[in-house]
Amino acid sequence: MKLARAKNATRNILWGIIQKSYALLAPFITRTLFIYTLGIEYLGLNGLFGSVLSVLNLAELGVGNAMIFSMYKAIAEDDEKKICALLKLYRFYYRVIGLVILVVGTFAAPFLPYLIKSDLPSDVNLYVLYFMNLAVSVSGYWLFGYRNSLFSAFQRVDIASIISTCISVATTILQVMILIFAPNYYLYMVIVIGMQIISNFIYARVSIKTFPKYKPYGILPMEEVKSINRRVMDLFTSKVGAVVVNSADSVVISAFLGLYVLAQYQNYYYIFSSIIGIVEIIFTSCMAGIGNSLITESTTKNYMDFQKLLFIIAWITGFCCTCFLCLYQPFITIWLGKHLLLEFSIVICLVIYFFIYEMDRVLNVYKDAAGMWHEDRFRPLATALTNLTLNLIMVQHIGLFGIILSTVISKLFVGIPWLVNNLFTVIFDHKYKKNFLRRMLFYVIVTFLGCVCTYAICNLFDGNVVEILVVRLLICMIVPNIIFVVCYFKLPEFEQSVNLIDTVTKGKIPFLHMNRS
C-alpha cells in the first residue's frame, strides 16, 4: 500500500494545528490561574513531578517508535495478519512497561525530598501527590495505549488530534472550575487522573471503529520479534538522551536553585515548548510518509525531499527565533509581572537552543523514519552524559544560564555532528554532506541577520509594555520574512516549497499560483 503522503500529511497538519493551538491556549489559562490561586511554588512542584515521571517513562524503551516502524512495511504490503500480530506484541510490551513504571516509581519515592532545595508548600503531602501523578503515567500503558500506534502508522494523526482536542476542552473546563471555586491541588490531580482514564477508553473505541480489521492476535516469527527487540534496545539510548536533556534540567534546577526559580524557568519554557509542539505537527504528520518514501522512492528523491523539509523548518524556526528574542520579555511582563522576568541573556540562550533543537529534529525525523537506531545508539548517551555533567558543574557557577548553556553545548558540539555523520553514511550518499553543511551555515547566517535587524528596529520604538508588545509583534511579522525572501529567493528549495504549498492549497493563494506559473 503506497500511502497518499501529501494528502495525509496536509490533513494531519491541519488538524494538528487546531489541536496544538488549543493545547497552547488551554494550559496558558490553567497555568495563569494556578499561579494566582495556588501559588508559583505549586507550579514548580507540578513541573518537577512531570520531569521525574519522564525519567520513569524510560521503561517505555522506545517501544512505540519501534512498533510503528515495524508496521510501515506491513502496511505497504497490505499484510493484515502481521499488523495484528504486531498489535498483540505491542499490547504485551505496554502491560509490562506499566508494571515496571509502577514498581520503579514506588521504590523512587523515598528520594523525592532530595530533589527539592527549598520552598516546598507546607500544606502538601509530597508522597500522596507523587503517587497521584504516577497513577496518571501508569494508566496510559495499561488502558489500550497500544492501539494509538495505528493512527501514526496509517498517517491518520488527524483523528488522534480531534480526540485530543475534545478531551483537552473537557479537562480544561473542569480544571478551571476547580481552580476558581475550590483551589486545591489534590482535586486538580483527581481531574487529571479521571480524564486520562476516560481518554484512553475513547482512543481505543475510535481506533477499533476506524481500523476494525486490526485486532491483537497472532504470533510473529521469533526472528521478527528478535529484530524488534533489537530496535527497542537501540531506541533506549535515544530515550535516555532525550529524557536527560529535557527533564534533567528541571530536576537540577529544583535541587540546586529551588521551586521558585524552577517555576520562573518553566514559564519561559512553557512558551518555548508550546511553539516546539506546533512545529512538531509537521514532523509528526510527515513521519509515516517519510518512512513510506524511504522504502518506495530513490535515494536522490529522498535527499531532495529532505532538503525541502530542512528549508521549510529553517524558515519557520528563523521566524520563531526572531519572535522569541523580541517578544519574550514584554509578554512575560504583561502575563505575570516584572518580578518573574529572567535575565535577557537567558532569553538569548533559549533562542539559540530553539534553533539548534529544530534543526536537530529534522535530522532525527529521518533517522527515526529509517529505523537508524542501531547505528545511532551511542550518540544520545554521549550527548546526555555531556549535558548532565555540564549541568552539574555550570549550575554551581553561573546558575540557570549555565543549565541552558550546557544543553546548547552538548547538542551543538556532540549530538548534531555525530548524527549528521550517521545520516550521510547510512541513509544519504556521502557526496551530499558538504552541500548540506553549506546550506545549514547559510540558514544560520540568515537567521542571525533576521534576529539582529528585527531586534534593532524593535528597540527604536518606546511606550508602555502593551504598546511595545503590539508594535514588536507587527515588526516581527514583517521584517524577518522580508529578509528571508530576499536571501532565499534564488534557492531551488524556495521554488519547490512554493509549488508544494500551491499544490496543497489547490491554487487558492493567488500570488503563489502566479509564482508557480
Side-chain angles (χ1 to χ4, degrees):
M1 181 189 299
K2 192 171 181 178
L3 298 176
R5 294 190 292 268
K7 179 181 178 181
N8 288 340
T10 303
R11 179 172 53 200
N12 291 339
I13 289 171
L14 175 62
W15 280 106
I17 289 173
I18 294 173
Q19 188 264 329
K20 285 296 182 181
S21 297
Y22 177 79
L24 177 64
L25 178 62
F28 175 78
I29 295 171
T30 54
R31 192 178 189 87
T32 304
L33 288 172
F34 214 105
I35 292 173
Y36 287 107
T37 58
L38 294 178
I40 195 167
E41 288 81 10
Y42 274 98
L43 189 63
L45 183 62
N46 197 54
L48 176 62
F49 284 143
S51 297
V52 171
L53 292 174
S54 292
V55 174
L56 292 178
N57 277 317
L58 279 173
E60 201 267 347
L61 293 174
V63 167
N65 282 341
M67 296 304 294
I68 292 169
F69 175 78
S70 299
M71 288 182 182
Y72 288 154
K73 187 175 180 181
I75 291 171
E77 297 175 351
D78 285 329
D79 192 341
E80 180 181 332
K81 289 184 179 180
K82 185 175 180 180
I83 295 172
C84 292
L86 285 167
L87 271 183
K88 182 181 178 181
L89 182 64
Y90 199 5
R91 181 181 65 182
F92 170 74
Y93 283 158
Y94 259 34
R95 287 175 177 174
V96 173
I97 288 167
L99 180 62
V100 171
I101 291 175
L102 179 61
V103 172
V104 175
T106 301
F107 279 102
F111 300 97
L112 286 175
Y114 298 102
L115 301 180
I116 302 173
K117 180 183 179 182
S118 60
D119 43 30
L120 176 69
S122 58
D123 59 341
V124 303
N125 186 312
L126 184 63
Y127 300 104
V128 171
L129 291 174
Y130 170 72
F131 279 107
M132 292 176 79
N133 278 274
L134 184 62
V136 175
S137 182
V138 171
S139 66
Y141 293 100
W142 282 354
L143 298 175
F144 309 106
Y146 66 95
R147 290 202 63 93
N148 292 347
S149 61
L150 292 173
F151 294 123
S152 297
F154 279 91
Q155 216 177 354
R156 291 309 310 271
V157 183
D158 58 304
I159 297 176
S161 295
I162 294 170
I163 298 171
S164 178
T165 300
C166 293
I167 293 295
S168 294
V169 170
T171 303
T172 301
I173 291 172
L174 292 172
Q175 287 175 335
V176 167
M177 290 174 65
I178 289 295
L179 291 173
I180 292 177
F181 299 109
N184 183 289
Y185 188 49
Y186 294 98
L187 293 177
Y188 181 90
M189 285 308 304
V190 168
I191 295 297
V192 173
I193 295 171
M195 294 308 295
Q196 174 69 41
I197 294 173
I198 292 171
S199 69
N200 286 324
F201 279 105
I202 292 175
Y203 274 114
R205 184 168 181 80
V206 174
S207 174
I208 292 171
K209 187 175 180 180
T210 307
F211 309 104
K213 63 181 181 179
Y214 300 119
K215 299 176 182 178
Y217 70 85
I219 299 176
L220 290 170
M222 187 54 63
E223 287 301 315
E224 181 97 18
V225 175
K226 289 180 179 179
S227 176
I228 292 172
N229 289 339
R230 187 164 56 249
R231 288 194 198 107
V232 168
M233 294 310 298
D234 292 337
L235 270 167
F236 175 66
T237 59
S238 296
K239 193 75 173 178
V240 170
V243 168
V244 170
V245 170
N246 296 327
S247 298
D249 287 359
S250 295
V251 175
V252 172
I253 292 170
S254 175
F256 283 87
L257 304 176
L259 292 177
Y260 188 90
V261 176
L262 175 60
Q264 275 186 292
Y265 165 72
Q266 288 186 332
N267 289 332
Y268 281 75
Y269 193 77
Y270 158 70
I271 300 170
F272 181 91
S273 61
S274 296
I275 303 303
I276 284 178
I278 292 175
V279 180
E280 188 69 21
I281 296 167
I282 299 175
F283 299 129
T284 304
S285 302
C286 295
M287 176 73 80
I290 292 171
N292 188 264
S293 177
L294 289 172
I295 294 173
T296 61
E297 303 288 357
S298 68
T299 303
T300 302
K301 172 66 165 58
N302 282 310
Y303 181 70
M304 290 175 62
D305 290 342
F306 169 75
Q307 286 284 71
K308 192 189 306 179
L309 178 62
L310 184 68
F311 170 76
I312 292 171
I313 296 302
W315 188 305
I316 294 172
T317 301
F319 171 72
C320 292
C321 286
T322 304
C323 291
F324 279 142
L325 190 68
C326 300
L327 304 179
Y328 241 142
Q329 298 297 67
F331 180 80
I332 293 292
T333 302
I334 294 171
W335 178 27
L336 301 171
K338 286 186 176 181
H339 64 291
L340 290 178
L341 285 176
L342 293 175
E343 296 176 2
F344 188 65
S345 59
I346 293 178
V347 173
I348 295 174
C349 205
L350 282 171
V351 169
I352 297 171
Y353 177 31
F354 182 82
F355 185 87
I356 292 172
Y357 179 92
E358 293 299 346
M359 294 300 101
D360 183 59
R361 280 298 294 135
V362 177
L363 304 176
N364 272 284
V365 163
Y366 269 81
K367 180 204 76 175
D368 291 337
M372 197 189 73
W373 303 306
H374 184 72
E375 297 84 353
D376 197 56
R377 62 193 182 280
F378 297 120
R379 179 193 59 85
L381 284 176
T383 306
L385 288 174
T386 303
N387 180 72
L388 183 58
T389 302
L390 290 175
N391 263 351
L392 295 174
I393 295 172
M394 299 177 83
V395 69
Q396 301 179 63
H397 298 283
I398 49 179
L400 183 58
F401 180 81
I403 291 177
I404 304 171
L405 183 61
S406 67
T407 305
V408 169
I409 292 173
S410 62
K411 277 188 172 290
L412 184 60
F413 294 104
V414 180
I416 290 180
W418 197 332
L419 181 54
V420 168
N421 183 68
N422 287 344
L423 279 179
F424 287 90
T425 301
V426 179
I427 301 178
F428 302 122
D429 196 307
H430 193 269
K431 66 183 180 182
Y432 295 125
K433 186 176 179 181
K434 287 185 178 179
N435 171 267
F436 164 76
L437 293 175
R438 284 196 297 266
R439 193 54 51 87
M440 272 300 308
L441 179 60
F442 183 53
Y443 293 153
V444 170
I445 293 171
V446 173
T447 300
F448 176 78
L449 181 65
C451 287
V452 171
C453 292
T454 306
Y455 185 73
I457 294 173
C458 285
N459 280 341
L460 297 176
F461 297 89
D462 202 0
N464 62 55
V465 69
V466 176
E467 292 172 344
I468 289 173
L469 181 65
V470 172
V471 172
R472 287 190 173 192
L473 178 60
L474 292 174
I475 294 172
C476 288
M477 294 296 291
I478 298 170
V479 175
N481 287 309
I482 291 176
I483 292 173
F484 296 161
V485 168
V486 171
C487 294
Y488 294 149
F489 185 76
K490 292 185 179 181
L491 294 182
E493 291 89 349
F494 181 87
E495 183 178 357
Q496 292 167 7
S497 300
V498 169
N499 290 343
L500 175 63
I501 296 171
D502 190 35
T503 300
V504 168
T505 58
K506 299 179 181 179
K508 293 179 181 178
I509 304 179
F511 70 88
L512 290 180
H513 189 59
M514 289 169 57
N515 182 81
R516 191 180 182 190
S517 60

